[in-house]
Amino acid sequence: MDNSPTALFDTYEQDFKQIIDSIRDKLDGEGRNERGEQRKAALRRVEMELDEADEMVSQMEIEIQSMPQSMKSSYSTRVKAAKADLVRYKKSARDQHAAVQRSELLSDVGGSPYRDSVSSETDGGRGNDRQRLLAGTSLLEDGSRRLVDSQRVALETEQQGAEILRSLRGQREQIENARDTLQTADRSIDRASGTLKGMIRRMYKQRVVTAAIIVVLVLLVGIILWEKLH
């Protein structure tokens, strides 16, 4: 098992590339030629794969936080490139989804009884066709606005997630700094304790030497007094 600090990042990046390749094939490759329900089903799969790719990018960002500082710069560049790919394919998916809706709307209008009998309809019938077309256009515009709103919410969520990650990173750095400070204080305490122990040993030695000197002096005084008296 690879325990390097970049192992999980590399795994998520590989999964992201595989998902992007699948999305590219559906949007720009052979899948682009599909029509009708097959095309709509392909676009639904693209939406799910885009969510998975977004999750992979989030995991990659999380893994960067645990890397050594010297490695973060190059891997952050790779994450930015992945985000750029993700944004580009999200826009392409929205555009193609809107194109499919527009095509279905025009197809419905073109295949309606009003279209088939246009030469025999009255002005009121042609007015109904126009109203249907306008209603369909309004519905399409409403769907486009909803897509824009969804994109805005997604971007806001992404920004909030990035802010949370930055906050967590700051807290982690504070914890690491506090840990380093405690380790430094612990070493200082150990040195101080050793110094105090040395001072205590020297104090005991000095006491012993002082006591010995006093005993010798007392003995000398006693000897001198004994000699004088006798």
Side-chain angles (χ1 to χ4, degrees):
M1 182 177 179
D2 190 354
N3 293 322
S4 65
T6 64
L8 283 176
F9 181 96
D10 293 337
T11 300
Y12 291 131
E13 185 179 39
Q14 185 63 33
D15 292 342
F16 174 82
K17 289 180 179 179
Q18 292 177 356
I19 295 172
I20 287 297
D21 288 340
S22 177
I23 293 172
R24 183 185 300 113
D25 182 65
K26 293 181 179 68
L27 295 179
D28 302 330
E30 296 179 357
R32 190 180 183 88
N33 298 323
E34 295 177 345
R35 292 292 181 270
E37 291 298 326
Q38 290 183 346
R39 186 58 181 160
K40 289 194 290 185
L43 290 176
R44 285 194 295 270
R45 288 195 296 271
V46 166
E47 290 179 358
M48 291 187 291
E49 288 175 337
L50 285 172
D51 290 339
E52 293 179 8
D54 205 355
E55 178 64 23
M56 292 299 102
V57 170
S58 298
Q59 294 297 330
M60 290 159 64
E61 288 182 322
I62 293 173
E63 290 304 317
I64 286 179
Q65 307 309 317
S66 61
M67 291 182 184
Q69 192 65 37
S70 59
M71 304 174 65
K72 287 184 178 181
S73 177
S74 60
Y75 280 86
S76 295
T77 301
R78 289 159 66 174
V79 170
K80 290 180 181 178
K83 283 185 175 181
D85 289 339
L86 189 59
V87 170
R88 182 170 67 254
Y89 284 110
K90 281 182 177 180
K91 182 179 183 301
S92 178
R94 287 195 300 271
D95 292 343
Q96 295 193 29
H97 186 73
V100 169
Q101 288 183 330
R102 189 180 303 109
S103 176
E104 288 183 345
L105 177 61
L106 295 177
S107 176
D108 290 342
V109 173
S112 67
Y114 299 99
R115 180 72 175 179
D116 295 336
S117 58
V118 108
S119 60
S120 60
E121 284 181 340
T122 63
D123 291 340
R126 287 193 295 270
N128 289 335
D129 282 344
R130 179 179 178 82
Q131 290 177 358
R132 284 166 58 86
L133 181 59
L134 291 174
T137 303
S138 176
L139 180 62
L140 181 60
E141 291 177 350
D142 183 61
S144 299
R145 285 194 297 271
R146 290 183 180 180
L147 286 174
V148 171
D149 290 339
S150 298
Q151 181 186 15
R152 178 178 54 78
V153 172
L155 290 175
E156 290 177 353
T157 303
E158 182 179 358
Q159 291 174 355
Q160 290 176 356
E163 290 177 358
I164 292 173
L165 287 175
R166 285 194 294 269
S167 176
L168 291 174
R169 181 175 58 200
Q171 292 177 6
R172 178 176 178 176
E173 291 176 352
Q174 290 177 354
I175 292 173
E176 290 178 349
N177 292 334
R179 183 185 61 188
D180 294 339
T181 302
L182 288 175
Q183 290 177 348
T184 302
D186 187 53
R187 289 192 294 268
S188 299
I189 291 173
D190 289 339
R191 288 195 297 269
S193 177
T195 302
L196 288 174
K197 289 180 180 178
M199 293 174 64
I200 292 172
R201 285 195 297 270
R202 285 194 296 272
M203 181 185 67
Y204 285 145
K205 288 180 181 179
Q206 290 174 355
R207 286 183 178 180
V208 171
V209 171
T210 302
I213 292 172
I214 292 172
V215 170
V216 170
L217 290 175
V218 170
L219 289 174
L220 287 175
V221 170
I223 292 172
I224 292 171
L225 292 174
W226 185 81
E227 287 181 351
K228 286 184 176 293
L229 294 174
H230 296 83

